[in-house]
Amino acid sequence: MDTKLDPSRDDLPLMANTSHILVKHYVLDLDVDFESQIIEGTIVLFFESGKKQSRSTKEPCRTESNEACRFRMPEPCHSPVTDTRTFSPKTRSNDFTICGKGEKDTSGKDGNHDNREQASGISSSKYCCDTGNHGSEDFLLVLDCCDLSVLKVEEVDVAAVPGIEKLTRSPKLTVVSEELRNQIVCELVTLPADRWREQLDYYARCSQAPGCGELLFDTDTWSLQIRKTGAQTATDFPHAIRIRYSTKPQGRSVTWTSDQSGRPCVYTMGSPINNRALFPCQEPPVAMSTWQATVRAAASFVVLMSGENSAKPTQLREGCSSWHYYVTMPMPASTFTIAVGSWTEMKPETCSSNDLAAERSLSPSEADFRYVGICGHMEYPCRFQNPSATTQEIIPHRVFAPLCLKGACQETLLQLVPPCLSAAHRVLGTHPFSRLDILIVPSNFPSLGMASPHIIFLSQSVLTGNSHLCGTRLCHEIAHAWFGLAIGARDWTEEWLSEGFATHLEDVFWAKAQQLDPHEAQEQQELKACLRWCRLQDEVRNSPEEMQVLRPNKEKTGHVSDSGSSVVKHGLNPEKVFMQVHYLKDFLQMLLENIPEEKRLELSVENIFRDWLESSGIPQPLQRERQAGAECGLARQVSVEVEKWIRMNRRPRKRKRRETEKLFEKLLPDQLVLLLEHLLEQKTLNPRTLQSLERAYRLTQQDAEVRHRWCELIIKHKYTKAYKDVERFLQEDQAMGIYLYGELMVSEDSRQQQVARRCFELTKEQMDRSSAQVVAEMLF
């Protein structure tokens, strides 16, 4: 195993040996401490042996100094696990608490030790290397892990759980062995779907069971490696283990920041390194698992998570609350999301009886009733087999944001959620998930939105202007419930599979949500296609060819090593997160709507792979289609308006403001974007024209897409009077502002460069890491 991977190189390694053993369920028990910016606690992993069996997943250990063979056996932790015999739903798995702090280990929390220097986080850890009778013959469990302090790894004595003998063939457990414990876990993870509540209860009780022996472990930059002396195959390895660990403040899966009200908060997102800096896990997308999590934080905070239940806080003691969530649909670990902050639930000022009827929760009898044999996936409590779910157009939903954004949420977002959910249902049918939380995340969130099971993050940028940007983005993220979550790629390099479909569907959903007639819907979709075409051309001109390929692994897509490990091509390249090609190189609309049936029959999977997914640049079929296509009516209207502005710019004359406004037509938001992009092609626009342009369309009050183009015009033409608009955008719309930093610097204008550096100084401490790295390279 290569333990000396360079963390700055482009390809992201997925180290977990998923071919040998698979995690079927995670139980997390965590405390969130905003003072130290650490999440700490335990995670219990329940395994099922994979198909392949291996005596070892590493090279033979030759000497005691072999780097890959230094396993750590940490000293006992000061806070023992609660004995299962005293277990109750409200009992904590440990006294390792943040609320009402007890004795804690604090070593390694200053961030000065990396994983290789001090994996256990305990300065007095013992080191040992077994090179005798077993050595490398022991099975090695490899988990994806980065930026974590692992304190202790132990086997869990699931046989000690009262009543667990029901999962065995023995009426009474007399002789407890490794084989019996593994048999119990095997029975537990394979319980039929209609016993999911019982299964979750057993998982919780087993996670509280005492330990029955510490396991040897070591870490390198990207993985946690665990073995048990004498366990030579995955079948012999303990099938339930507990890992005590803590995150690090600089961990790349966890973002500690402040919300728009200045209150501390933390959120996680499964990129760019997925969730390995949040908890040790199996990151390859083939590793599908369920989870449940208990999270404690100060009582003033709200904990949101990817979970099927709308959790409510349980008061543990004064000043501390506990939240519990669970998921029964097997999902990749990277889709797990958590957000803790002083969020306020936003509710509409009025709620109609129709809305209440549509959003009713399913009764227990309805929720447990399943049809068998409809779906072809692994067995779990699937909503697609639930007849009541098929008619539920609007699933129960909640909206959370800092209190200061209450007005914006009520004016825009709250009114859009029901029609967008209903539109998605009318197009695709049953919602894959039973409920939805929507959170307006802090200003440093690096994109306009992100979808996870049961929860969507939205940037504050979507709340400005009219409802168009908010509606389209919401539709895009709702579409990910089907494409990206319920249906996902076998290879994390294939973002086109989720983003391409979601981009196509956002137009379809949004047209239905607006109740447009077919002609209006077609016009708006053609206008959107025109805008995407322009952006795709621009990106192809200004990005490396290798970054334009949607299927970089080509015929090896989905292939893994014998152990199950793989790499994500360009996964560590900070520029990758700003690429739009997997959104824009969208052949679906052309394929489904514009190509006649007789021509469509000539297409093949091989041709699509070659032309659309495995080549850089713009596919020839798309170029021919765009060149042959007539300009839509909405785009023609923009062209007329552009000519007016060009004429006005050439013959500048003073007009009264009201006369200027009458001269120009009212445009839709996407039309405004197209208008400004056309005007960006003009070599010179004088200040008077720019002033009239802003007044005619009230550009500073438009949505973020329009304001971004307005800022580009300001920078290009050095319109100093409006530099404040650029500064505001860079600070409040960080998800979209990266390109503007480059424009400010490339002009080599000292005043513009001063604007860029001043804004970066104000935001860099809170800025997303990848964004900050890219901007810093532009500025210095």
Side-chain angles (χ1 to χ4, degrees), residues 613-681:
L613 305 179
E614 296 175 354
S615 301
S616 60
I618 299 175
Q620 286 297 322
L622 181 58
Q623 292 192 44
R624 290 194 297 268
E625 185 68 27
R626 293 306 307 173
Q627 291 165 1
E631 192 176 44
C632 70
L634 294 176
R636 286 196 298 271
Q637 186 182 2
V638 171
S639 297
V640 172
E641 297 303 298
V642 170
E643 288 302 318
K644 291 180 184 178
W645 284 107
I646 292 174
R647 288 195 300 269
M648 179 180 176
N649 187 62
R650 288 172 182 167
R651 298 190 300 272
R653 51 185 172 179
K654 294 184 178 180
R655 291 178 180 267
K656 292 183 179 179
R657 178 175 177 179
R658 188 170 299 174
E659 291 177 355
T660 300
E661 291 175 353
K662 286 182 179 179
L663 180 64
F664 298 100
E665 298 291 335
K666 185 176 181 180
L667 300 178
L668 297 172
D670 282 340
Q671 287 182 299
L672 279 176
V673 171
L674 186 59
L675 171 86
L676 297 179
E677 289 195 351
H678 283 321
L679 291 178
L680 277 165
E681 297 171 1

Side-chain angles (χ1 to χ4, degrees), residues 85-283:
R85 287 166 291 190
T86 62
F87 174 82
S88 71
K90 295 183 180 180
T91 303
R92 302 192 38 197
S93 66
N94 57 69
D95 293 323
F96 201 41
T97 182
I98 299 302
C99 307
K101 301 185 191 301
E103 185 177 6
K104 298 189 304 178
D105 175 81
T106 57
S107 59
K109 294 181 181 176
D110 58 2
N112 293 328
H113 303 290
D114 64 17
N115 284 355
R116 289 198 51 73
E117 293 171 330
Q118 195 161 339
S120 68
I122 300 177
S123 58
S124 58
S125 294
K126 302 172 185 175
Y127 295 80
C128 68
C129 180
D130 186 353
T131 57
N133 296 330
H134 303 289
S136 64
E137 294 183 359
D138 291 334
F139 171 78
L140 186 67
L141 169 68
V142 182
L143 298 174
D144 294 298
C145 174
C146 179
D147 299 328
L148 294 178
S149 292
V150 179
L151 309 174
K152 180 180 181 181
V153 182
E154 64 180 350
E155 181 177 357
V156 178
D157 187 9
V158 295
V161 176
I164 202 71
E165 64 273 4
K166 295 177 183 177
L167 297 181
T168 70
R169 299 180 183 88
S170 303
K172 186 176 181 181
L173 302 182
T174 53
V175 179
V176 176
S177 63
E178 185 77 67
E179 184 179 359
L180 177 63
R181 295 190 191 99
N182 286 352
Q183 178 194 336
I184 290 172
V185 175
C186 286
E187 294 293 330
L188 175 56
V189 300
T190 56
L191 281 177
D194 60 359
R195 296 175 65 184
W196 65 271
R197 292 185 187 276
E198 179 185 8
Q199 185 182 47
L200 284 177
D201 180 59
Y202 272 124
Y203 278 135
R205 294 165 65 190
C206 286
S207 73
Q208 301 279 347
C212 57
E214 295 191 23
L215 302 176
L216 303 168
F217 72 92
D218 194 14
T219 59
D220 58 31
T221 305
W222 294 113
S223 70
L224 167 63
Q225 305 146 38
I226 304 168
R227 69 179 175 92
K228 179 178 181 178
T229 303
Q232 297 186 348
T233 69
T235 303
D236 302 330
F237 190 81
H239 281 28
I241 66 171
R242 181 186 294 113
I243 302 171
R244 182 176 297 280
Y245 75 99
S246 65
T247 65
K248 296 181 179 181
Q250 71 274 20
R252 280 164 281 181
S253 301
V254 185
T255 300
W256 299 89
T257 186
S258 299
D259 66 19
Q260 291 84 345
S261 297
R263 302 288 300 276
C265 63
V266 61
Y267 65 84
T268 67
M269 55 185 297
S271 64
I273 64 165
N274 300 333
N275 271 324
R276 70 189 68 194
L278 176 62
F279 58 91
C281 55
Q282 292 182 331
E283 289 287 14

Side-chain angles (χ1 to χ4, degrees), residues 175-410:
V175 179
V176 176
S177 63
E178 185 77 67
E179 184 179 359
L180 177 63
R181 295 190 191 99
N182 286 352
Q183 178 194 336
I184 290 172
V185 175
C186 286
E187 294 293 330
L188 175 56
V189 300
T190 56
L191 281 177
D194 60 359
R195 296 175 65 184
W196 65 271
R197 292 185 187 276
E198 179 185 8
Q199 185 182 47
L200 284 177
D201 180 59
Y202 272 124
Y203 278 135
R205 294 165 65 190
C206 286
S207 73
Q208 301 279 347
C212 57
E214 295 191 23
L215 302 176
L216 303 168
F217 72 92
D218 194 14
T219 59
D220 58 31
T221 305
W222 294 113
S223 70
L224 167 63
Q225 305 146 38
I226 304 168
R227 69 179 175 92
K228 179 178 181 178
T229 303
Q232 297 186 348
T233 69
T235 303
D236 302 330
F237 190 81
H239 281 28
I241 66 171
R242 181 186 294 113
I243 302 171
R244 182 176 297 280
Y245 75 99
S246 65
T247 65
K248 296 181 179 181
Q250 71 274 20
R252 280 164 281 181
S253 301
V254 185
T255 300
W256 299 89
T257 186
S258 299
D259 66 19
Q260 291 84 345
S261 297
R263 302 288 300 276
C265 63
V266 61
Y267 65 84
T268 67
M269 55 185 297
S271 64
I273 64 165
N274 300 333
N275 271 324
R276 70 189 68 194
L278 176 62
F279 58 91
C281 55
Q282 292 182 331
E283 289 287 14
V286 295
M288 308 285 277
S289 59
T290 53
W291 60 74
Q292 61 196 104
T294 299
V295 177
R296 286 168 296 278
S300 59
F301 292 101
V302 172
V303 177
L304 302 177
M305 197 183 301
S306 4
E308 294 173 18
N309 56 314
S310 298
K312 302 294 182 183
T314 299
Q315 207 69 28
L316 296 177
R317 54 191 163 275
E318 186 177 357
C320 187
S321 295
S322 174
W323 303 70
H324 181 77
Y325 289 87
Y326 62 83
V327 162
T328 61
M329 177 180 179
M331 299 290 295
S334 61
T335 64
F336 179 93
T337 300
I338 183 173
V340 185
S342 300
W343 323 122
T344 300
E345 183 177 356
M346 304 296 172
K347 297 182 179 181
E349 295 179 347
T350 59
C351 185
S352 69
S353 57
N354 289 337
D355 290 340
L356 290 174
E359 296 179 25
R360 68 183 182 87
S361 297
L362 298 178
S363 68
S365 60
E366 290 175 321
D368 290 341
F369 182 74
R370 312 290 173 192
Y371 284 136
V372 180
I374 296 177
C375 298
H377 52 65
M378 67 184 78
E379 187 184 20
Y380 65 87
C382 176
R383 276 178 56 81
F384 293 105
Q385 300 177 43
N386 185 335
S388 299
T390 62
T391 59
Q392 194 176 28
E393 288 192 20
I394 304 173
I395 56 175
H397 57 272
R398 305 181 297 182
V399 174
F400 291 87
L403 186 59
C404 65
L405 296 178
K406 180 178 181 179
C409 287
Q410 288 184 330

